[in-house]
Amino acid sequence: MQVVKASEMKALDEWFIKEVGVPAEMLMERAGLSVAEAIFEAYPVETYGSVLVVCGPGNNGGDGMVCARHLVNLGYEVEVVLLAEKETYQGEALTNLKVLENLGFMPEEVGYIVEFRKVLYDFSPEIMVDAIFGTGLKRPIEGNLAAIVEEINLYRENRGCKVVAVDMPSGVCADTGEVLGTAVKADLTVTFELPKLGQFFYPGKEYVGRLKVCPIGFFKPLLEKRAPKRYLIDLEWAKKVFRPRKGYTHKGLFGHLLVLAGSKGKSGAGLLSALGGLRAGAGLVTLASTKTLQPVYASMLPEVLTSGLEEGLTGEVSYTNLESLLDLCEKKTALVVGPGLGLGEEVKRLFWELLERVKVPVLIDADGLTIASEKPERLKELPCPKVLTPHPGEAERLLKISKREILRDPVTAAKKLVDLTGAVVVLKGPHTVISSTDGREGISVWDVPGLSQGGTGDVLSGVIGALMSQRYDLFEAACLGVFLHGWAGEKLASEKGPFGYLASEVANKIPEVLKEICDDRP
């Protein structure tokens, strides 16, 4: 399933109406009906019998009017309030307003908070439908409208009223999840055809409640073709991309991943990356680190091959290993570089000169990203295919912009990183964003707070590196790795508790989620 911005959804609407010839009235009818049916399913009329539909001045208000009509048919007691004068309604919204009036409804115009409070508390609804702004809002909600939104939230909190948002909770930016002044806090959001970006990112996600995506009459093959190549990375997507193993196989078919990681005081990072690579199915994994750490790794993870490298005075890999590392890379299918590698001058020199000469796909993480942030433009000049996996702090150093700006709009930040570095970028966080050089984007379905612990990012690097070594397309390797990693964390959260599980446990959970992908394939 693809994910869209408000402007992209508007363009799709217009194209289906003007070019395909789908009647706008039909789309509004289907939209309002789908909201009514979602309410009937989630909040049965036997328990929640009364509904107040709050309609704004545009098409979102028109959707609400259609919803009101169908709710009556389903047995609810319904009242409708208009937050604009009747004379301001146009097009399909005006048509449906007239339909309501012809059916005997008397929608009440409410311009001030005092009037809204009177309607609200006189009627005392058990459900409210937010059909005020939807995805079209571009500026902060102010004045009486802000007061009405706050009253909706207060009533919901005090009375246990269920709030259902039409397409988008009013006040939440559909592109970023930013709250524009104030916003309706919904229990259920019914959005149309495709989910919107702002429904996945904080703080807006906290206002969405449960998200339900409903078709309203678009022709699916055309929708998929014309919508942006921005995908929700969920089980459906993963099943399409994942390549199961059948028939005669051997380790040579599934790549050989080289992990260059670890230093004095940071030994665990290399071990966790290698473990992630093994658990995600790389045929072989070689962990290259200092000679001091080689016996530690060999004893803790006997399945991994090791390569002991000369180390400098700081306990980091020495620059003198350059030629031997290039030799090691010759027979490998992917390279992970950076976890726990260190930040000494020798390591920095080794990092750049190695990457200027290797030809295998490279994943850069952790200390590698910190080194790269000193001259991020050099990354674009490297001949090797690249994947970067920054968290927001590392992205801040690479882009030289504030973390606040990155968190406000992670999709744009990831695209900026792609343009700067020429790499596939995995911008980690809730609903991790993956952005590719060919314009494809991925939004992870997972939001797992328990993964916010040391070492889990190292595991992710190994998982993606293993998929790269198995010759998945770099974007698909990054997206599939993020999906497997997130699902493993989600399973641990449900089994053990919301946080406190270990990074190694995340890695060890990967085969279980791989099994479920295989079992769930058609």
Side-chain angles (χ1 to χ4, degrees), residues 347-364:
V347 170
K348 292 177 182 179
R349 185 181 174 194
L350 176 65
F351 172 86
W352 286 116
E353 293 193 28
L354 176 65
L355 296 192
E356 284 168 356
R357 295 171 62 182
V358 297
K359 297 177 182 178
V360 297
V362 178
L363 183 145
I364 304 171

Side-chain angles (χ1 to χ4, degrees), residues 28 61-62 65-66 69 80 82 86-107:
M28 184 170 285
M65 296 173 203
V66 174
R69 174 160 40 88
V80 179
L82 309 178
K86 293 180 182 179
E87 291 74 18
T88 64
Y89 286 93
Q90 300 176 2
E92 300 80 54
L94 177 59
T95 297
N96 280 290
L97 174 57
K98 290 179 178 178
V99 170
L100 280 182
E101 291 177 330
N102 291 339
L103 291 172
F105 277 83
M106 298 298 293

Side-chain angles (χ1 to χ4, degrees), residues 30-59:
R30 290 286 300 273
L33 174 61
S34 68
V35 176
E37 290 176 338
I39 290 171
F40 185 73
E41 178 185 351
Y43 308 117
V45 67
E46 295 82 8
T47 308
Y48 302 89
S50 56
V51 185
L52 179 65
V53 182
V54 187
C55 297
N59 282 345

Side-chain angles (χ1 to χ4, degrees), residues 272 365 389-392 426-432 444-461 463 479-494 496-510 513:
L272 290 167
D365 186 29
T389 57
H391 56 58
V426 177
L427 182 52
K428 294 182 286 194
H431 300 291
T432 290
S444 170
V445 72
W446 302 117
D447 176 9
V448 187
L451 290 174
S452 302
Q453 293 187 203
T456 57
D458 303 317
V459 171
L460 176 62
S461 294
V463 171
C479 291
L480 185 55
V482 166
F483 177 79
L484 296 173
H485 182 262
W487 197 6
E490 180 73 15
K491 281 183 169 294
L492 286 165
S494 65
K496 292 180 174 291
F499 52 85
Y501 45 84
L502 304 180
S504 58
E505 293 177 298
V506 176
N508 291 332
K509 203 73 174 174
I510 297 295
V513 300

Side-chain angles (χ1 to χ4, degrees), residues 99-159:
V99 170
L100 280 182
E101 291 177 330
N102 291 339
L103 291 172
F105 277 83
M106 298 298 293
E108 187 168 348
E109 294 178 17
V110 172
Y112 297 97
I113 182 61
V114 174
E115 298 170 329
F116 181 76
R117 281 197 189 112
K118 185 176 188 311
V119 173
L120 178 62
Y121 286 95
D122 283 353
F123 184 50
S124 296
E126 292 157 310
I127 301 171
M128 265 192 284
V129 176
D130 163 27
I132 305 173
F133 290 119
T135 62
L137 189 67
K138 293 181 175 62
R139 61 180 185 274
I141 300 177
E142 299 173 335
N144 273 298
L145 286 174
I148 288 170
V149 166
E150 292 295 336
E151 193 65 38
I152 290 171
N153 291 339
L154 184 65
Y155 184 87
R156 169 184 175 272
E157 183 177 347
N158 291 340
R159 297 288 188 94

